[in-house]
Each structure stands twice: as structure tokens, then as C-alpha cells.
Amino acid sequence: MAAAAIPSSVIKVAALCGSLRKGSYNRGLLNAAIDLSKTIKGLELEYVDISALPLLNTDLEVNGTYPAAVEAFREKIAAADSLLFASPEYNYSVTAPLKNAIDWASRPPNVLADKTAAIVSGGGGFGGGLSQYHLRQICIYVDVHFINKPKFTLNVFAPPAKFDSDGNLQDDATKERLKAVLLSLYAFTLRLQCKSA
């Protein structure tokens, strides 16, 4: 009988931003998360750009293959153990680019299945919280497993200033909250890998 696979202690996380805007606060959160991940042994974050993905159209699928940008994106997701979504809120929901990326990734074979995930959101009001609930609903069908705590939403307009003029996260308390999300995601991913092994 073959021995069970030993889970990897290096967790690779694909970081996706739902906003395509250059100065996006949500992209700023991901940039900060990438910097913070360098202080966590065994955690590797890579930003995965979704801006080049065409709108989902199954006419673009030819003989089981996808457009080059979609194939490259799907390969990045398939190679990751986990996902970190930065999900701004547009009209009480996730953004169109993020939903489009999820739809492409879930085309057969579904490269999202059984991955762990966490969500961070920045914005006004509830700090993007409503988009997080919708994103969780969407990802139930594609078999993504989210951490439950800590929850991370950020009202970027409430004092003190969270970002500098270049869009870099500068608030230490927010950085600590963001690091707590990464630590939780890392631990949750290792736990699920051990159970599956």
C-alpha cells in the first residue's frame, strides 16, 4: 500500500484583486499582504493579474483549450494551494472582473476545487463587507473553502489615514489585522492538507 502524501509546509497563495484600477486600495492591501508574507515562514504569496482575461465566452474554448491569457491564469491558480481575494464592493456585490476570473477558473477541469481561501476588502461604509458574503456564496459551488476568522473589512476613509499618497498601506494596526488573516489562512490550509493526506 502506497504511503500517504506528506503535506507541503510551503503554502503557495494566489492573490487576486477584484479592482483593476491602478491606485486601488484593495490592490494596496494585496501589496501589503505580499510584503507581510515574507515574515511568515512557509507562506508564499504571488499576485495574479486578471486584467487580461476576456469576458467568459465558451465559443473561445477550442478542442478543450482556452485563450492564452486564460490558460496562463488557470495554470497559476492550479499551482496554488490557496487563494487570497481582495474584493471591493460594487453595487452590493463582487466586481465583474473578479466574477469573470472565477468563472474561467471553474471551467472544466475546475482548478479552484478544494483550495482554501481568505478575503480582504477595503472601501467606504461597511468596508466591502457585502461583497465578501456574495463571494462566499459564489465559491460554495466551485468548492473553495474559506477561513471563518478573522474577518477583514476596512473603511479606508475613516481616520487615521490607512494609505499614503502612493497607495501603500501605512497603518500599523491594519497591518497586524492583515497578518492575522495570513496566519489563519496558512494554518487552515495545513490542517486541511493533513486531513486529506
Side-chain angles (χ1 to χ4, degrees), residues 15-32:
L16 286 76
C17 185
S19 174
L20 304 185
R21 186 171 66 87
K22 184 178 180 182
S24 164
Y25 292 122
N26 285 273
R27 177 64 190 274
L29 289 174
L30 285 189
N31 290 340

Side-chain angles (χ1 to χ4, degrees), residues 28-157:
L29 289 174
L30 285 189
N31 290 340
I34 290 169
D35 288 340
L36 288 167
S37 71
K38 296 171 185 174
T39 69
I40 302 172
K41 184 179 179 181
L43 191 67
E44 296 178 0
L45 260 73
E46 179 184 1
Y47 174 72
V48 179
D49 189 4
I50 64 173
S51 63
L53 296 176
L55 290 177
L56 181 71
N57 179 351
T58 54
D59 288 344
L60 299 176
E61 301 175 22
V62 180
N63 297 324
T65 64
Y66 299 93
V70 174
E71 290 281 10
F73 167 71
R74 286 171 53 84
E75 287 173 11
K76 291 281 189 183
I77 300 303
D81 301 295
S82 187
L83 308 164
L84 177 62
F85 294 103
S87 182
E89 183 179 312
Y90 287 12
N91 298 324
Y92 284 6
S93 187
V94 300
T95 67
L98 184 55
K99 179 61 165 62
N100 186 57
I102 292 168
D103 289 342
W104 273 123
S106 69
R107 295 295 298 159
N110 175 12
V111 295
L112 295 168
D114 279 333
K115 296 194 186 298
T116 55
I119 318 170
V120 297
S121 299
F126 295 118
L130 294 177
S131 75
Q132 293 197 13
Y133 293 124
H134 199 183
L135 181 57
R136 285 174 180 268
Q137 288 178 312
I138 292 166
C139 287
I140 287 172
Y141 186 76
V142 296
D143 292 331
V144 172
H145 311 292
F146 284 98
I147 64 168
N148 290 324
K149 294 178 181 178
K151 179 182 176 183
F152 186 104
T153 58
L154 180 67
N155 186 329
V156 299
F157 304 109

